[in-house]
Amino acid sequence: MLRNNRPVQSWAKRMIHTAPRLKLQDQYTTQGIPGLLSPNGFKLAWIDQQNYLTTKLTLLTNGTSDETRYPFHIAINSARDQTKQPIFNVASQCHNNHFFFEQLTSPLTNTTSPSRDLESRIIDRFGSLDGLKKQFIEESEKIIGQGWVFLVETESKSLEILIVNNSGTPYNFSGNLSLDLNGPINSDEFEAWEAIKEHTLNKTTDWTIPLLGVSLWDHAYVLDYGVGQRAKYVGDALDAINWEVVNKRVYV
């Protein structure tokens, strides 16, 4: 077939989702993240896992409009669509895992700190940075299986800790999976579920911005910390936060 005397290609270029490179990835590959992850632990939790997720996302979005979108946008756009749950799960995991690893540095050499404004707000809400760390660990223990724990900024500029199960996203009411509905729930959880339904049905605009997050998936820590040492891992991960990255996430 010719158009303007030039052959028209009968195929369209396919887009491939690939894992982004971290700023210190070469160093982490050979040395791990000293004080947090060994080289093998880093390889499993970032390189192997992120390559697996991006490959799976490529296969799921091939030939659709999502193949040209970032995982973040795919997760946001598919969070409310029950027919796209497989795509949502993978896209959300892709984004969450990158969000986690791009904020890490070695806790042994970490000299970063929250901005003056952010530290003041953390002290107002949690008493101190140690208070934030203590509550983070306590909240992380509430998830029995896989999940994530985030420090989020709400519409009112307050700081809260949000736990999400499995592949939940912190950006969306209907997709944050903050309640584990695999078993019985108590009255407080039922009220939270009703509130989530109301937000979803009324299409309430979401305004929750994650500032920092920690992966609670087994592959992120079991190789280096073993079973039953999640609290130690979460504490070490918080000591490894590069606050220069977190400060840039605060909504201005």
Side-chain angles (χ1 to χ4, degrees), residues 194-231:
E194 290 295 309
I196 291 172
K197 285 201 301 182
E198 182 179 352
H199 282 307
T200 302
L201 292 173
N202 294 334
K203 297 183 179 180
T204 305
T205 300
D206 293 341
W207 206 102
T208 303
I209 303 297
L211 302 182
L212 65 86
V214 175
S215 173
L216 302 180
W217 281 71
D218 291 346
H219 60 252
Y221 67 92
V222 167
L223 187 64
D224 288 323
Y225 288 82
V227 176
Q229 295 299 313
R230 175 185 281 178

Side-chain angles (χ1 to χ4, degrees), residues 37-149:
L37 296 175
S38 67
N40 286 337
F42 172 77
K43 179 178 181 295
L44 175 63
W46 171 250
I47 296 176
D48 293 348
Q49 177 67 2
Q50 201 69 10
N51 284 336
Y52 166 77
L53 290 170
T54 52
T55 298
K56 195 171 183 67
L57 189 61
T58 296
L59 295 174
L60 287 170
T61 60
N62 188 22
T64 72
S65 58
D66 285 332
E67 71 177 0
T68 62
R69 294 176 175 146
Y70 289 113
F72 166 77
H73 298 108
I74 298 172
I76 296 300
N77 291 335
S78 59
R80 297 176 184 268
D81 189 342
Q82 292 298 316
T83 67
K84 289 188 174 183
Q85 282 306 292
I87 293 177
F88 165 76
N89 289 335
V90 177
S92 182
Q93 282 285 80
C94 276
H95 174 74
N96 288 352
N97 206 38
H98 184 221
F99 185 92
F100 172 50
F101 271 94
E102 73 173 352
Q103 70 188 2
L104 295 179
T105 186
S106 171
L108 302 183
T109 57
N110 189 9
T111 59
T112 65
S113 59
S115 66
R116 182 177 301 177
D117 174 67
L118 180 56
E119 184 172 15
S120 175
R121 292 164 62 193
I122 289 174
I123 292 173
D124 287 343
R125 177 65 179 82
F126 302 102
S128 64
L129 286 173
D130 285 339
L132 169 64
K133 180 177 178 179
K134 180 175 183 291
Q135 189 165 336
F136 231 77
I137 293 173
E138 290 175 353
E139 292 296 316
S140 71
E141 292 294 280
K142 293 180 180 180
I143 293 183
I144 302 300
Q146 317 294 322
W148 303 83
V149 57

Side-chain angles (χ1 to χ4, degrees), residues 121 152-160 207-209 211 251:
R121 292 164 62 193
V152 300
E153 182 181 22
T154 69
E155 185 175 7
S156 63
K157 300 291 285 184
S158 66
L159 300 179
E160 303 294 340
W207 206 102
T208 303
I209 303 297
L211 302 182
Y251 183 76

